[in-house]
Amino acid sequence: MSLTYFGWDVTYDDDSLLLELGAEQEPQQEHVYPMYHGTSLQTARKILAEGFRQSSDGMLGPGVYVSRNQRKAERYPLNAQASNRVVLKLRVNAGRVKRIDQDNHPLQKSWHAAGYDTAWVPPNCGMRSVPSGLEEDCVFDPQRVEVTGIALAPDTPTLAELKQLLSQRKNGAGQGGAGKGGAAGVCALCRRMTTPGLSHTVQPCWGCGQSICTLMSRHTCSPRV
């Protein structure tokens, strides 16, 4: 009797595939979190009018820097006066998350190239580059970030102005960011998040012919005797 076996079982060197951000707020739904972004008044107006843009660089490389801790967002822009600080409340589809919890982490700026959507610096992890000890996140794709409200504004008239800008954007073309970010689905085969506008590669297994996703961590064919 001969037995032909096809299949695979992937073993990961850490728990990053299963890791969800586990800090102060509970997720509203899988991989989607309320977060905050601190910025200047001028930049806040631009974000509300045009959406987020990816930064050219930063502690975690290019992306949109956010936090689930509003106190962290309230610190930005650094050295700015209170009259020039705005905190935007966000809805963020974090996708696949990489934990960065040490200085000079091997993936500190290359996590996206390794297949992750968000880098997460957990609170009080001891990194010298985060002296506040407050959580920080970097979302590579701005399309995953949606502004849902104004958490902090310098004064009441400015708050009213920013809320009006947000309302106009929601009633207009819609925020490309979150729309696509929030509408990201889940692959029916590998059960992992899909990138908005893109689908996972599906092909027949060379052993049993069953449809498989190339990102599945395990697949076992029925033995052929």
Side-chain angles (χ1 to χ4, degrees):
M1 180 180 73
S2 63
L3 178 67
T4 302
Y5 173 79
F6 296 93
W8 67 86
D9 188 2
V10 177
T11 300
Y12 292 90
D13 59 2
D14 60 17
D15 60 356
S16 299
L17 180 62
L18 302 177
L19 183 64
E20 291 185 359
L21 302 183
E24 294 80 9
Q25 290 104 8
E26 292 293 327
Q28 294 180 334
Q29 51 185 288
E30 186 177 10
H31 299 291
V32 178
Y33 299 83
M35 296 194 185
Y36 301 90
H37 176 79
T39 188
S40 67
L41 176 56
Q42 179 180 359
T43 303
R45 289 175 175 136
K46 189 174 182 65
I47 291 171
L48 292 172
E50 303 175 7
F52 277 98
R53 292 186 180 181
Q54 188 185 70
S55 67
S56 58
D57 200 2
M59 179 187 73
L60 299 168
V64 179
Y65 282 76
V66 297
S67 177
R68 288 185 296 163
N69 191 322
Q70 184 175 335
R71 290 188 296 123
K72 173 73 171 183
E74 290 175 0
R75 299 166 64 91
Y76 292 88
L78 295 175
N79 303 318
Q81 296 182 350
S83 60
N84 193 33
R85 283 182 174 171
V86 173
V87 175
L88 303 175
K89 186 173 183 180
L90 315 171
R91 179 177 181 273
V92 178
N93 186 331
R96 190 181 180 203
V97 177
K98 178 62 183 175
R99 179 186 179 117
I100 305 293
D101 56 4
Q102 64 185 54
D103 291 300
N104 302 314
H105 190 287
L107 293 181
Q108 185 163 335
K109 290 196 175 186
S110 59
W111 45 271
H112 182 258
Y116 297 92
D117 302 301
T118 298
W120 171 48
V121 177
N124 303 312
C125 65
M127 290 181 66
R128 293 189 301 274
S129 50
V130 190
S132 68
L134 300 175
E135 175 193 284
E136 185 161 350
D137 308 274
C138 181
V139 183
F140 187 82
D141 185 359
Q143 298 292 308
R144 290 181 171 272
V145 184
E146 173 189 8
V147 180
T148 60
I150 312 300
L152 178 70
D155 50 53
T156 302
T158 303
L159 177 61
E161 174 203 348
L162 296 177
K163 285 185 174 180
Q164 179 66 24
L165 288 173
L166 177 58
S167 177
Q168 290 174 353
R169 183 164 177 79
K170 286 183 175 180
N171 293 332
Q175 297 191 46
K180 293 184 178 179
V186 175
C187 176
L189 297 175
C190 72
R191 306 308 302 169
R192 291 173 57 183
M193 298 294 289
T194 57
T195 300
L198 298 175
S199 58
H200 291 178
T201 300
V202 176
Q203 61 188 42
C205 171
W206 56 84
C208 65
Q210 181 181 356
S211 295
I212 57 174
C213 173
T214 56
L215 296 180
M216 290 168 61
S217 60
R218 174 178 294 186
H219 170 67
T220 303
C221 299
S222 300
R224 294 183 177 181
V225 180

